[in-house]
Amino acid sequence: MPDTSVEQGQHPRVFVADIGGSYIRFGVSDSPGSVRLVESVPTPVDSWEAFGATLEALADRHIGETGSPLVISMAGAIDPSSGVICASNVPCVSGRVLGAELSSRLRRRIRIANDADCLALAEAVEGAGAGHDVVFCVVLGSGVGGGLVVGGRVAGGASGIAGEWGHGLPVSTSVDFDGTGHAQPVSALRCGCGRLGCVDTIGGARGLERLNTLLNGEQKDSHALLDDWQQGGERARRTVSAWLALVSEPLAAVINITGASVVPVCGGLANVVPLIDALDAAVRKRTLREFRERVVVPGAFRREGGLVGAAIIARQDGAREP
Ligand SMILES: [Zn+2]
């Protein structure tokens, strides 16, 4: 049965979905700061028909006939002028004007929002960045993402990808591993985007593994590597030292450029709190502004950030039940 009861409080009920390459997670929010996950179903990634039918069924079950809009958080770049999405983890939607096509099929307004933007908004408004005017949220998952929030709103920009620091910003090709003042060369790695040496090539979990292979000639997954690092392993220390130097430099530049006063970090690597502590120390050594307080902090949201951010967007859009 759809949950169509009209909420008694001052906040309208809003409906949100977080679409990943594995699952579509559907949520309902009755008030700011709270989102209930109401259903999770596998994502049809190869069939557009199955994808549309799955979302239509979810909307029928949980929104019903109210006509309320749905805000969807998903990975991918959306061209702000054409609305065309490029989503590598859900191939059947790539190249489509997804918001318009789903709006037509589901007979309600569908807003598509980039997942890193949703996460950034969640952190800026209700999470680790609350109270700060300029928040740059970093995602260190398998790769690298980011989102910029100014004054409680996502800074989308003309490109629609403001805050995307993972590509186009090359990392250094030399690094002082041991703090001795002697930099050693590090080969720039080819990025999936076609460029050479993007932050994405070394910044996320896969990048950390590639960097370790490059420096130590060993294949080790990021969990084992970071366990070794925390236990004082020499090879892991060498890799993580290089990672901290290489990632903190462009991150400090982003902070200089945006004026961000806090950088919540989300994604799998954010679960290793000592790594985020070390990243904060490395970044603050490199920013133009001298920060006395922490800047780089673990994000407050893990799995629910996309849904929370989508709900904030829904409220900002003035979504209301009739
Ligand atoms: Zn790239």
Side-chain angles (χ1 to χ4, degrees), residues 69-73 99 103 109-113 154 313-314 316-317:
L70 173 66
V71 177
I72 294 173
S73 162
S103 294
R109 189 159 58 83
I110 308 291
R111 160 86 174 258
I112 312 291
V154 172
I313 288 174
Q316 289 181 344
D317 282 352

Side-chain angles (χ1 to χ4, degrees), residues 166-168 191-201:
H167 302 279
C191 185
C193 76
R195 294 181 178 83
L196 201 59
C198 294
V199 176
D200 194 66
T201 62

Side-chain angles (χ1 to χ4, degrees), residues 231-246:
Q231 286 161 20
E234 175 54 25
R235 287 178 161 198
R237 186 203 63 75
R238 182 176 157 82
T239 298
V240 173
S241 296
W243 183 88
L244 288 168
L246 293 171

Side-chain angles (χ1 to χ4, degrees), residues 39 64 76 89 153 215 242 308 315:
E39 192 173 350
N89 62 347
R153 291 193 172 260
L215 298 177
V308 171
R315 292 211 159 78

